[in-house]
Amino acid sequence: MQDEEHRRFSLEALCTSLHSLLSDPATHYTAVDAKLAENFVYYAQASNLDPVFNEDQAAQSASQLLSRLPAVPPKIELPYNVCGSSSNNQVLGSRPSPWAEFLVVSKISTVVARLALLVVTTQSTSRANVAYTIKRFINLISELIDTDNKMKMATDRKSIVEDLILQAFLWVTWQRSLMLFFWFILRHELGWGGCSLLMHPSIQATLHGDANQQHSYMCSWAFQVLSSSRASIGLDFRRFHERFGTLHRDQLARCQFQSDESCQGDHPMSCGRFQDTRLVKEEQSLHDLACTGHCKKLRWNEASYKKVQGPTAVALKSRSTQIQYTVASESTLAISHVWSHGQGGRPNVGINECLHKRYLKIAREYKCDSYWIDTLCIPEDHNLRMEAIGFINRIFTNSKITLVCDRDIMDIDVPSLATELLESVLVTFFVCDWTVRAWTLLEAMKARHALHLLTKFNRIISLSDTLLQVHQEGSVDIVILALTSHHLLSSSINKNYRHFTRQSMEEAGNLLSRRHATREGDEIVIWSLISGIDVYQSAEELWKSKIKSRIATAYLMNTAPRLEGISGFTWAPKTPYIRRLPSGPETGIPELYSSYEGADSRLGLITPKGLVADWLVYYLRPEDARLYQDFSKTVTTVTNDGKKIDNIIPGIRLTNYCWQTASKLSEEYKHVALIQPCSFNFAMPSYQAVKDRGENPGEVFAICTSKDGERWAWNGVKVWPSNITPPMVVDELLIV
């Protein structure tokens, strides 16, 4: 507590100091710039710097990197009368100016220039120290933005222009620093493989940039998956949308049948691309561009398939009428496609001959000895299907080439490897259908060392080579979005470490919570394959296999349905996929509340009797109803000088449905508790969920009930809408 108070005092002192430097328009920029630069200290040792750089080369590389940032950061909301005030001419120049002409916006600050020098000259052996240094500084700026806003709300400060300058300066510095930080992380991820350096800065900044204009052809759900990642919070999507809109300007929306608008973006089931039969292409309706569309189908040789011992792939010497099989190897071409795009099917139905010839040709070009596609290699028979699925990890992990087939990528003509064109390919790739499917997620994670994209006219480009080129030559704001799909980055450049693609239950569950699998139950199979080596078809089997393991408690704070009737596992998600929940005035349940991986929260031990873990706990007391059962309705207004004021509407009280639900449960159970995860930091046990998630849904509680005060049952997750929260204590609970 003393540490928190000291930190708050230091931040307020620094904000006050920065404000004091803004009074003189002639020196305000250089003074504030120098003061902030004092707070970024990194003592670079000669051994930390790349020996290939001399002073001039370092400066040139840093300058070139800065030129690849957006020239003007996104505009933030500012008091409407500031830019038009004649008293601001000294700040803006000889006349009132738009955002781009603000001195604090147009100039590169000293600290940003230093960061650019640091990230281009640091050797790989020092990347961890440098990353932590940059992260701490970015967090400092974020805290300064919040502290300055809080001080502004708490005082009657009238310095409109000074407030404008400082907020704009901090926002621009924060945004540019964040992009440089992610560029630095991606540099080492691409060069050395997954090195666990994606350390998300705390996202506390209350300022937000301009809204982005999204093209109607872009799936809103796919963009939601991309933009909800902590690696994309605070980033600039303007050029991303510009590239996508230019490339797909003539294409009509296809999220909803006979509609010229994209889907709502609130859930996969809001988008017709997933299940609307009028939008989903029939199995084997896709043909190669050179085909007339009337070629015959080649079906499997069942006897040949069953003869293979181990993972099965299509032999390149297949007969003209039937598909022959062989053992999949490290020279296998694996095809990862979106079923609903027209390549789906089963071996007994067959594959279009033109597609078979396409993959034969590609396999031979890349000196592969076979190819694998689920259409021909996963039979309909349940036993054969489960046996084939059990080999998927091995097939994609060992594949020489994994070919990504998505209709939007396959429509892009890539006659040359021009950097700007590759940027457009990446922009499309980041939001294509392939990226938001559950099965392709698994395939991508296992084959990320070998991902290649199939483009128009069967031209193939390497994903890793594309990322490297854009990282070195292209737009920083576009390439760093690769970190939102961290699972696509190679886990290691060393072939011997390819198999280290397994993810924790929490991280796998986080990724799958936003990705759809059409066949019911497939998400459990995929969850087990991502997080382990054994295939489980039920959540009960999967969780029981984790007994004696530990799980991050914050991961459990989601609205996924729980196991029912399984003693010791009322807390365990029945599926990682966050499905729609009923909502309405009588329930107050949010439609969707996804968890992240729960990093930095305390771990719970999974035992045969239940989950044992420390939690922050409030034990329900009926006499507290007057404090928590309802709350005032407020309307936020913004004054001319930029202050946000919450105005209470007299006579209107809103129901706290979290309290109401817990209160009703107390009629049946002697003990009811509201719980939250604890932080790993025992000095500050409160887990900063809002900060760590990059969201602001309000406080979130899990509701637990008990008859004896010893064994607790999980009763779901609720948002606590009131600003007045109950007192919490740290306590160990057994949730059965």
Side-chain angles (χ1 to χ4, degrees):
M1 191 67 181
Q2 289 181 343
D3 289 342
E4 290 183 5
E5 187 69 18
H6 182 265
R7 180 69 173 171
R8 182 183 63 81
F9 178 80
S10 299
L11 289 167
E12 289 178 351
L14 182 53
C15 282
T16 301
S17 177
L18 290 170
H19 268 280
S20 70
L21 300 172
L22 295 170
S23 57
D24 184 355
T27 62
H28 72 277
Y29 179 83
T30 54
V32 172
D33 182 38
K35 184 66 178 177
L36 190 62
E38 289 176 9
N39 288 271
F40 178 69
V41 180
Y42 181 76
Y43 298 102
Q45 299 177 3
S47 59
N48 293 338
L49 304 180
D50 194 323
V52 303
F53 288 102
N54 59 37
E55 190 172 307
D56 290 339
Q57 290 171 326
Q60 184 178 359
S61 295
S63 176
Q64 194 264 350
L65 175 60
L66 290 170
S67 72
R68 294 193 282 124
L69 296 175
V72 180
K75 182 179 178 181
I76 57 175
E77 294 180 8
L78 298 169
Y80 72 89
N81 64 338
V82 171
C83 294
S85 171
S86 60
S87 64
N88 298 336
N89 288 348
Q90 287 180 301
V91 177
L92 306 176
S94 60
R95 59 180 178 80
S97 304
W99 171 257
E101 294 181 34
F102 275 67
L103 193 62
V104 293
V105 173
S106 60
K107 292 195 69 172
I108 297 293
S109 66
T110 300
V111 73
V112 170
R114 288 181 182 175
L115 278 174
L117 277 168
L118 189 60
V119 298
V120 298
T121 58
T122 299
Q123 288 196 105
S124 61
T125 53
S126 304
R127 61 189 184 275
N129 289 336
V130 171
Y132 278 115
T133 298
I134 300 173
K135 177 187 174 183
R136 286 196 301 270
F137 179 72
I138 292 172
N139 288 347
L140 170 64
I141 303 174
S142 178
E143 289 176 300
L144 284 173
I145 293 173
D146 276 359
T147 300
D148 187 59
N149 281 333
K150 290 174 183 176
M151 292 174 65
K152 181 179 177 182
M153 295 291 293
T155 62
D156 197 23
R157 212 162 62 194
K158 300 297 183 183
S159 51
I160 300 175
V161 175
E162 287 81 358
D163 287 343
L164 160 66
I165 296 171
L166 185 57
Q167 287 200 354
F169 179 75
L170 291 174
W171 161 257
V172 168
T173 302
W174 179 78
Q175 226 244 349
R176 285 171 173 157
S177 299
L178 195 65
M179 283 192 284
L180 291 174
F181 172 74
F182 284 140
W183 181 89
F184 177 73
I185 297 296
L186 185 59
R187 171 192 167 193
H188 292 284
E189 294 269 349
L190 294 173
W192 292 82
C195 51
S196 301
L197 275 182
L198 185 54
M199 302 165 295
H200 306 286
S202 63
I203 306 298
Q204 303 175 53
T206 55
L207 303 177
H208 301 282
D210 283 338
N212 298 285
Q213 184 63 43
Q214 178 180 319
H215 192 279
S216 61
Y217 186 72
M218 184 184 297
C219 173
S220 295
W221 173 249
F223 183 66
Q224 169 64 20
V225 173
L226 174 74
S227 58
S228 63
S229 166
R230 284 181 296 168
S232 63
I233 292 172
L235 296 190
D236 185 348
F237 284 97
R238 292 172 301 168
R239 189 149 43 190
F240 170 90
H241 286 290
E242 177 189 335
R243 287 276 193 275
F244 188 94
T246 300
L247 187 64
H248 302 283
R249 59 179 175 270
D250 298 326
Q251 292 176 283
L252 301 177
R254 62 180 180 89
C255 285
Q256 303 176 81
F257 184 66
Q258 293 184 343
S259 172
D260 57 0
E261 296 182 356
S262 180
C263 58
Q264 294 179 359
D266 59 342
H267 193 273
M269 292 302 94
S270 297
C271 182
R273 299 187 188 203
F274 290 91
Q275 286 190 323
D276 191 332
T277 55
R278 297 166 298 181
L279 297 173
V280 173
K281 290 194 173 184
E282 295 182 4
E283 295 179 359
Q284 289 305 298
S285 59
L286 181 72
H287 290 264
D288 192 70
L289 274 178
C291 181
T292 62
H294 301 290
C295 65
K296 63 183 179 181
K297 286 185 174 61
L298 302 181
R299 293 173 174 80
W300 72 332
N301 183 319
E302 186 174 354
S304 173
Y305 181 93
K306 291 180 177 179
K307 280 182 182 179
V308 177
Q309 299 296 313
T312 306
V314 176
L316 299 190
K317 296 181 180 179
S318 294
R319 297 173 185 170
S320 59
T321 57
Q322 282 190 316
I323 299 296
Q324 305 295 316
Y325 295 91
T326 186
V327 177
S329 70
E330 292 187 354
S331 295
T332 294
L333 164 72
I335 290 96
S336 179
H337 68 99
V338 179
W339 188 284
S340 61
H341 287 183
Q343 291 195 74
R346 288 300 175 211
N348 57 305
V349 176
I351 188 173
N352 291 332
E353 185 178 30
C354 64
L355 299 181
H356 175 61
K357 289 181 177 179
R358 170 204 282 172
Y359 298 130
L360 287 180
K361 183 174 184 293
I362 293 172
R364 287 169 178 145
E365 286 177 356
Y366 283 87
K367 295 181 170 53
C368 297
D369 59 16
S370 57
Y371 79 84
W372 184 98
I373 187 170
D374 56 359
T375 305
L376 294 175
C377 298
I378 298 185
E380 192 68 39
D381 176 81
H382 177 75
N383 292 333
L384 290 177
R385 180 176 185 270
M386 294 313 300
E387 180 184 43
I389 286 174
F391 289 122
I392 282 182
N393 281 1
R394 192 193 305 184
I395 288 167
F396 280 89
T397 301
N398 291 336
S399 64
K400 185 174 184 179
I401 296 289
T402 289
L403 194 63
V404 175
C405 299
D406 178 276
R407 60 179 290 178
D408 288 337
I409 304 297
M410 292 165 65
D411 280 343
I412 303 175
D413 187 11
V414 187
S416 69
L417 298 181
T419 299
E420 187 169 322
L421 177 57
L422 294 183
E423 289 177 356
S424 297
V425 172
L426 285 180
V427 162
T428 303
F429 176 69
F430 290 147
V431 288
C432 72
D433 292 354
W434 183 88
T435 64
V436 290
R437 297 304 201 274
W439 276 113
T440 53
L441 169 72
L442 168 67
E443 294 162 0
M445 293 184 75
K446 301 303 175 181
R448 49 189 174 177
H449 64 283
L451 292 175
H452 288 63
L453 309 181
L454 183 66
T455 67
K456 199 168 186 177
F457 305 118
N458 293 337
R459 294 189 179 106
I460 297 169
I461 59 174
S462 162
L463 177 60
S464 60
D465 289 350
T466 299
L467 288 170
L468 278 169
Q469 181 172 330
V470 178
H471 182 268
Q472 294 168 2
E473 302 174 7
S475 303
V476 172
D477 47 318
I478 287 178
V479 75
I480 58 178
L481 291 173
L483 292 174
T484 67
S485 301
H486 194 245
H487 57 282
L488 299 178
L489 303 177
S490 181
S491 57
S492 177
I493 59 174
N494 189 328
K495 179 180 177 181
N496 296 325
Y497 292 97
R498 279 187 194 172
H499 292 272
F500 295 116
T501 58
R502 193 180 308 169
Q503 299 291 322
S504 66
M505 283 285 288
E506 300 95 322
E507 178 60 25
N510 167 37
L511 291 168
L512 287 169
S513 69
R514 298 166 176 83
R515 288 172 170 84
H516 181 72
T518 302
R519 188 190 292 251
E520 187 175 352
D522 272 6
E523 64 262 30
I524 300 299
V525 174
I526 299 167
W527 202 3
S528 64
L529 286 169
I530 293 177
S531 60
I533 56 176
D534 295 320
V535 180
Y536 294 99
Q537 299 181 62
S538 75
E540 178 184 352
E541 292 177 319
L542 178 59
W543 283 113
K544 285 185 174 179
S545 74
K546 304 299 179 182
I547 287 176
K548 296 184 180 180
S549 300
R550 295 185 180 272
I551 187 165
T553 50
Y555 166 70
L556 301 175
M557 302 298 289
N558 61 63
T559 51
R562 262 45 183 187
L563 289 175
E564 299 175 359
I566 310 298
S567 178
F569 290 90
T570 63
W571 55 269
K574 185 164 60 176
T575 170
Y577 186 46
I578 309 297
R579 301 187 183 279
R580 284 184 183 275
L581 293 175
S583 62
E586 72 284 354
T587 64
I589 300 175
E591 282 193 349
L592 184 68
Y593 190 78
S594 300
S595 67
Y596 280 84
E597 73 286 347
D600 300 325
S601 64
R602 292 191 200 176
L603 302 179
L605 177 65
I606 303 173
T607 75
K609 293 182 179 180
L611 179 70
V612 179
D614 286 341
W615 297 87
L616 286 171
V617 185
Y618 163 70
Y619 294 103
L620 193 78
R621 300 190 308 170
E623 59 268 29
D624 288 346
R626 62 183 181 82
L627 298 174
Y628 307 127
Q629 65 183 357
D630 56 22
F631 57 100
S632 300
K633 180 176 176 60
T634 60
V635 174
T636 302
T637 58
V638 181
T639 64
N640 286 344
D641 61 355
K643 278 190 177 181
K644 292 184 178 181
I645 300 176
D646 290 330
N647 302 288
I648 296 177
I649 301 179
I652 299 181
R653 303 286 293 178
L654 302 178
T655 300
N656 181 342
Y657 289 105
C658 181
W659 176 271
Q660 185 184 79
T661 301
S663 183
K664 286 183 178 179
L665 288 169
S666 69
E667 298 172 6
E668 182 180 354
Y669 296 93
K670 185 177 180 180
H671 305 277
V672 178
L674 304 181
I675 67 173
Q676 290 182 319
C678 290
S679 167
F680 247 131
N681 185 343
F682 283 77
M684 294 184 291
S686 177
Y687 180 70
Q688 300 297 312
V690 173
K691 178 183 71 174
D692 293 337
R693 290 168 59 98
E695 300 174 349
N696 190 13
E699 294 288 341
V700 178
F701 293 102
I703 303 176
C704 292
T705 56
S706 175
K707 293 184 180 294
D708 58 8
E710 299 293 330
R711 295 161 53 84
W712 295 82
W714 188 278
N715 282 269
V717 170
K718 293 276 189 180
V719 171
W720 182 277
S722 173
N723 291 328
I724 304 173
T725 55
M728 312 290 285
V729 296
V730 178
D731 209 349
E732 182 182 271
L733 299 183
L734 170 64
I735 305 178
V736 300

